[in-house]
Each structure stands twice: as structure tokens, then as C-alpha cells.
Amino acid sequence: MSITQQALEYLLYRVRSFKLHGVHSPFVFNLYNQVILHNGAFYAYPRVEAVREDLLLDNRTIEVTDLGAGSNTIKYKNRKISDISRTSLKPAKYSQLLFRLVNYYQPKYVFELGTSLGITTAYLAEAARKAHVYTFEGCPNIAKEAKKNFDYLHLRNITQISGNLDETLKLQLEQIPQLDFAFFDGNHRYEPTMYYFEQCLAKAHEKSVFVIDDIYWSSEMKRVWQEIKKHPQVGQTIDLYFVGLVFFRTSQPKEHFTLAF
């Protein structure tokens, strides 16, 4: 999707979105007020952001293997860590939203589909130190760099899984009793993303939370988001433009919200 198209999509999102006073669902009202719009500080923020700052200044070069849709801006294989950080890492605003969601719900089993250099992984692991965080990365060289960051932060509740998600996701799902929280950032194409979503649904439950990244990144991701909203197992969704939140609460009506963030 071109920059012009993305700008138009964002403008349309701003027109559709509304703030707290327009939310009539108590569940969404509380989540929006207490978690999504929370602007206080947490202990993990400066720790993880210090690592991000170092990565943005790291001029070492590694060979990158793209198994998904790849980068919109960098097409060559040998890339500087600083360039990967600049184009691939989730901004602090959204990384810290993931932290707050996990901190709020305290899941036991967390999946992250797409590690990159591990900034969002670190936030997920910091938010629930007793959780089992499984992070999947297709590029072994990037996974090695992420591991250095986890070691530096002394995060011991992260399990790294390298390889193609088409092969690794199903195997790991078979090893857990349930999937409480999942962040989908491993592939930005329609068919693979929907395939991974369907696989993860097999271990989802009433209180699971799925987060879909970059729901307006391309026409394929827009289609993914629309299909997820219509899925019979999906109960409620929240569109925050750069990410979409998915819930499976059967005790509440099926509803879709577009909220300003």
C-alpha cells in the first residue's frame, strides 16, 4: 500500500473512531480507560527503551531471511541492525500497549508470531514474569540478536522458536494446554495470517486475547481484519488502526469498536 493510501486509511480511521464517552460496553469502557489510554509509567519502560536506543545506533550488518511479506522499505538481504530497528520494531506507544494488556490480563501462555529484535517480546515477558512466552522468528540471525537482548534484560521466561511458522506453530501449539494471549506479527499476507489465526483458535478460550498487527498495512491485511471480525468464534474487536484487538467473550454480544488511540 502506498504512503498516500495509508494516509487516507488513517484519515478514515480518525473519522470513524471515537473516545471514551462513546463506548457503551462496560467491558470495553473499562479496558479503554484503564489499559489502552493509561499514560502512567511502568518499571519496564525505561529498561526496554534503553535497549531500543542501543539498537538504533548499532551499525553491525547481518544477513536477513524474509519468510513473510518482508519490509516495505528495505529489500536487500544484508542489513544494518540500526536499519532493521528503524523499520521493523513496533513503536514504543504500541509496544507499551502490549505490555499493559499482558500486565492487565496476566496470561499464562503467550505466543508472539514474529520476534524481530525482541523489543515487543521483552515487553510481553516483563509484563508477566510467571508467564511462558513463546516467540517465533523465521530468520536465525535476527533470532540470535534478539537472544542477546533477552539475556541483557535477564528475561528467563522466553522460549525462542526459529524456523518457518508453517512448520513450527502447530508443533508448539500441541505442547501447551491453552493460548491466553497471542500477538500476530509474523507474516503480512492474507493466507498465511489467516492460517496461523485458525491454528491458534484451537487453543483459544473465553478469556483469550489476540492482537493483530498492522491491520491497514496492505490490502491483504485489511482483508485479514475484515475476515477476523466476521469469524463466528470472534466476539468483540477493537480497531486501534495500527493494531486490532480480538476477544472471544460469549457472555457479551458480538460488537466491533473503532477507538481513538
Side-chain angles (χ1 to χ4, degrees):
M1 187 179 293
S2 70
I3 294 176
T4 301
Q5 288 173 310
Q6 288 180 335
L8 177 59
E9 289 290 351
Y10 184 72
L11 179 62
L12 292 172
Y13 156 77
R14 296 298 298 182
V15 170
R16 294 193 309 270
S17 65
F18 50 87
K19 291 185 180 291
L20 196 60
H21 65 273
V23 178
H24 302 294
S25 163
F27 155 63
V28 176
F29 182 94
N30 291 333
L31 180 69
Y32 192 52
N33 185 37
Q34 298 174 24
V35 181
I36 296 173
L37 292 185
H38 187 282
N39 59 5
F42 285 90
Y43 68 92
Y45 289 5
R47 279 169 45 81
V48 181
E49 288 308 308
V51 174
R52 185 199 300 271
E53 290 177 12
D54 289 341
L55 292 171
L56 288 167
L57 297 173
D58 192 337
N59 287 321
R60 289 179 300 120
T61 299
I62 62 173
E63 184 176 335
V64 174
T65 303
D66 280 325
L67 297 179
S71 170
N72 264 343
T73 56
I74 303 178
K75 301 301 181 183
Y76 43 88
K77 282 191 174 182
N78 292 317
R79 304 174 193 171
K80 290 182 179 180
I81 299 292
S82 57
D83 289 339
I84 298 171
S85 304
R86 179 173 48 82
T87 60
S88 300
L89 296 183
K90 208 69 189 156
K93 177 179 179 177
Y94 293 93
S95 300
Q96 291 168 3
L97 171 62
L98 291 172
F99 173 93
R100 294 195 299 275
L101 286 167
V102 171
N103 181 66
Y104 185 73
Y105 287 109
Q106 287 296 306
K108 293 182 180 180
Y109 296 94
V110 177
F111 272 27
E112 179 189 38
L113 279 60
T115 311
S116 188
L117 295 169
I119 292 297
T120 52
T121 325
Y123 273 116
L124 295 170
E126 287 273 19
R129 286 291 187 122
K130 294 182 179 180
H132 302 278
V133 179
Y134 298 90
T135 185
F136 299 77
E137 175 56 50
C139 176
N141 290 332
I142 288 181
K144 288 177 184 177
E145 296 299 323
K147 178 64 162 57
K148 295 176 185 177
N149 297 324
F150 304 152
D151 290 343
Y152 176 79
L153 292 167
H154 304 290
L155 296 172
R156 307 298 182 215
N157 58 333
I158 298 172
T159 299
Q160 288 185 278
I161 302 158
S162 296
N164 193 322
L165 265 173
D166 293 348
E167 302 164 359
T168 58
L169 180 59
K170 183 176 183 294
L171 292 174
Q172 193 57 52
L173 281 167
E174 292 171 354
Q175 305 302 313
I176 63 169
Q178 63 190 43
L179 183 55
D180 305 309
F181 190 97
F183 177 46
F184 293 78
D185 189 25
N187 195 304
H188 286 68
R189 293 175 296 180
Y190 172 79
E191 289 187 6
T193 303
M194 289 306 302
Y195 177 61
Y196 304 148
F197 181 80
E198 291 284 356
Q199 285 186 306
C200 288
L201 275 179
K203 289 296 177 79
H205 55 85
E206 171 85 9
K207 295 183 179 180
S208 293
V209 181
F210 285 6
V211 181
I212 315 299
D213 194 34
D214 290 328
I215 56 176
Y216 292 98
W217 187 81
S218 66
S219 58
E220 289 193 68
M221 287 306 297
K222 283 181 60 181
R223 184 183 173 197
V224 164
W225 183 237
Q226 294 306 314
E227 289 295 322
I228 285 174
K229 288 167 64 177
K230 293 187 294 185
H231 196 286
Q233 285 182 247
V234 170
Q236 303 77 32
T237 65
I238 300 176
D239 179 346
L240 300 176
Y241 186 72
F242 282 105
V243 297
L245 312 184
V246 182
F247 303 91
F248 306 90
R249 294 169 177 260
T250 57
S251 58
Q252 297 174 231
K254 190 179 183 77
E255 294 180 284
H256 307 293
F257 300 87
T258 301
L259 302 181
F261 180 57

